[in-house]
Amino acid sequence: MSCRAAPWSRPSHIAGPRVPTPARPRFALGSRNLWKNSWTIGAGVSNMFALPSTLFRCMASSGSGDGDFARSTLTDEAAPFPLYSWPDKQRPRVCILGGGFGGLYTALRLESLVWPNDKRPQVLLVDQSDKFVFKPMLYELLSGEVDIWEIAPSFTELLKNTSVQFVRDSVKLLRPSDHLRRKPGEPCTGGVVHLESGTVIEYDWLVLALGAEAKIDVVPGSAEYALPFTTLEDALRVESKLKMLERKRFGKSSPTIEVAIVGLGYSGVELAATISERLKNTGTVKAINVQTTVCPTAPQGNRDAALKVLESRNIQLFLGYFVSCIKEAPTSDESSSTVTYSEVDGDHRKLILDLQPAERGLKGQTLDADLVLWTVGSTSQIPRLQPPDAPYVIPLNGRGQVETEETLQVKGHPRTFAIGDSAALRDPSGKLLPATAQVAFQQADFAGWNLWAAINDRPLLPFRFQNLGEMMTLGRNDAAVTASFIEGLTLEGPLGHAARKLVYCLRMPTDEHRVKVGISWFTKAAIDSLASVQNAVASSFPPPTQMGDSTATNPSSPTAAMDPDSEVVFDFPPYLCQYKSGRIHRPGGAPTVPAGTDPATGVVSKDIRAGPASARVYLPPGAAGKIPVVVYFHGGGFVVGSPARPGTHNYLNDLVARSGAIGVSVYYRLAPEHKLPAAYDDAWAALRWAATLGGGEDPWLLEHADLSRVFLAGCSAGANIAHNTAVRASAAGALPDGVTIRGLAVVHPYFTGSEAVGGEIAFGPEIRPFMDRTWRFVVSDTVGLDDPRVNPFVDDAARRASAGIPCQRVLVCVAENDFLLKERALWYHREIKASGYAGEVELFESKGVGHAFHFDMLDSEQGVQLQERIVAFINK
């Protein structure tokens, strides 16, 4: 994990004294950073990291000086800049930059060692993210095998039982002083670190564990069109892009999704295997490598296993080629009356990759792709962190990595250590150690020990890397593991998969997190195993066949041989697929976040029972007096989602903080396990619960809920639920006296019908039947697309019911590039205005974006505009 410069980030602490800060009023819109430092030099002159030259005179005592931690005369109060305040003025101060494998595990190693009381160091960990990321398992986020909390726990959670302090910030500048000539008898500091927020950290010992960043600007177009896959944010961005592509293929048999992967080292191979398994027959992976083989540095067993998997799936290998250019494909003929694949979403265009041969005998090629993933090349962060007046103070190799001694100390800097991707350390043969998690694990152990030795005037140990083997994932139940201590042994398939997960579970940072993850993974494996046993038992009792059924007499036919647990009977991309055995698979899993206090907005949330249903309730910071109540319904095609999903939870935090309203986000039962009207009933139960102030028992509602200002809101399927809940509320006596539904906000609503409206006439012939199948899939009893619950103006009775909703105002929000649902939302806006509805009807369109874009783009310009419009609707 890197500490890449990020001007929007700000420090957050989990323990110990905080950086002195002025009052910081929270901006009502939540996403903009108004935190500005107010420290000045002299009469109001802002101090932009200006430091007195005396600070950089090394004042070490004679000898090693490593045991003397007397401080310089510079004090926090006298410093004309924001100086980080360490809890203790005498004990050693260790600053660790970077919270990846190297940085976090070094901090935990220091915590585990036995120290003399006066020598136990104060440890400060700095990272730009609030989460530690177990990067070797990012691929499992795309396959749905793991949840975010399992492989990306927060530093707050991991460090809560330690004395390690954490600051969320980005590194701006390094100014070490442990290389300067020292005068006998003078105290010494190791140097200072400047953070992007303006804070300066004075330290005695420094650990550089900043990692490397993806080098994406390699060929023309790569920085603009290709996506890296090295961080949690990268993985979530790729997941979002894949979901968008799967949604665009919604109900279509062609064309397929085309994903190009540049580079076939470990990362490229693992991505290709994972994505191809996810897409199955709906997509093609095009994998490009400059060498004529895959994973050229991998053990032979891993390489053979990888090739076997890649060749068995829908993957095209382009070996011996390099990408010379990436560009947009020409747009389709605008005069065409047919909506083509490249026109489905304005955010997406087909890309063209120009391939040039790297080997003789090959010819140049051109590839089309919907998504390009770039897995080759990385760059060190250290060069740009060097002081401009001393650009070579930290010795670097040609790759920008820090040159170190065998003890992991930076050459010429006895108080600075470098590990992981930041360090250029060679093995006894002179070969640079690979930038892998295994190397960082082992270096962290040595760095922690050598810091202990240096502080206690003991000999330091030279680092020796011990290669324990190499592992790679090749799918949901497939992996390759080669152990170095058993020559020629490679575990493949389910056995390799189980071994890999066991090793990584044992490598989790803390015992507590190890146990939580182990229980979670064991539970998932037990459920999958039970399902397999049930399917095996069911398959041993084949159903009776009708006379003349060829499968009864021809057991070799494809239908007879199909495993019921792998035969898909209903595909509802990108949400789920149902197998013949009855098993439901939801790609991407169901990551959740707990309720609690949101550090970004100050909103507090809790999960409660809302009558027979459940809900997550949100209270804005500083709530006083009576405030509106927003009952919110999440989207997800009625088959996925919950208030605890990260996107939904973050959206509600932001909405509640901006609007100052109480939020009630409903957990409704999902289809097909619980078909409609189950979700409608849960929504109604939650509204009734809120309308009765939680049965007269909820303290937040009792104290703050203004029941004369109740709003119903939802996105996609949730907007459909919101509309139908409003219709239900129109019945006499449905809600208690004094409860007024002030407004209904439907965002990108899920409505449809058997007859095309507006631009739907351009839909292909397969769209309408698919919409009919998916609607019938989620509802228990229906007439199809003319069901008034999904076609609210299908006849006079439905029109009267929609016109009678007891809301004073209706807000309809559409997205310009919402291919499937925009026209129907515009139709809903027109029809409700013409139906005789007595209230106000408003329409808002987000330009240049697609369906439900705001969950992934909440802080974007369009996301903020949409949120501000909804907030204005609530507060009008």
Side-chain angles (χ1 to χ4, degrees), residues 53-86:
S53 60
T54 55
L55 181 62
F56 303 111
R57 297 196 193 107
C58 185
M59 299 166 284
S61 59
S62 59
S64 69
D66 294 340
D68 184 3
F69 288 93
R71 297 289 178 257
S72 65
T73 57
L74 183 65
T75 64
D76 293 355
E77 291 75 14
F81 50 85
L83 188 66
Y84 180 80
S85 178
W86 293 87

Side-chain angles (χ1 to χ4, degrees), residues 606 619 662 689 693-694 696-705:
K606 62 182 180 180
L619 187 69
I662 295 174
W689 176 86
L693 299 177
E697 296 179 354
D698 186 83
W700 290 1
L701 295 177
L702 285 169
E703 184 174 356
H704 297 294

Side-chain angles (χ1 to χ4, degrees), residues 781-804:
D781 184 21
T782 183
V783 297
L785 297 187
D786 287 333
D787 188 319
R789 291 171 292 185
V790 75
N791 190 351
F793 301 98
V794 63
D795 54 31
D796 290 342
R799 185 179 298 275
R800 285 193 299 271
S802 296

Side-chain angles (χ1 to χ4, degrees), residues 520-676:
S520 177
W521 289 355
F522 178 80
T523 303
K524 292 175 184 177
I527 293 173
D528 289 344
S529 299
L530 180 61
S532 298
V533 170
Q534 291 173 333
N535 294 332
V537 172
S539 64
S540 64
F541 298 98
T545 58
Q546 298 179 358
M547 185 173 297
D549 188 341
S550 62
T551 62
T553 57
N554 181 18
S556 63
S557 68
T559 303
M562 179 69 75
D563 178 3
D565 200 36
S566 62
E567 181 180 355
V568 177
V569 295
F570 191 85
D571 193 11
F572 191 175
Y575 301 126
L576 60 71
C577 59
Q578 184 177 40
Y579 295 90
K580 189 175 182 179
S581 65
R583 180 170 70 91
I584 303 295
H585 171 58
R586 290 177 168 89
T592 61
V593 291
T597 301
D598 179 52
T601 62
V603 172
V604 183
S605 58
K606 62 182 180 180
D607 288 328
I608 52 88
R609 290 293 300 174
S614 298
R616 178 166 290 190
V617 186
Y618 297 79
L619 187 69
K626 298 297 185 179
I627 55 179
V629 178
V630 178
V631 182
Y632 183 83
F633 311 102
H634 67 81
F638 301 104
V639 298
V640 296
S642 85
R645 288 289 286 268
T648 306
H649 180 68
N650 293 338
Y651 175 79
L652 262 294
N653 279 325
D654 189 74
L655 178 64
V656 168
R658 292 170 185 264
S659 65
I662 295 174
V664 179
S665 183
V666 182
Y667 289 92
Y668 58 80
R669 287 168 290 172
L670 301 176
E673 294 90 344
H674 306 280
K675 294 195 173 188
L676 295 176

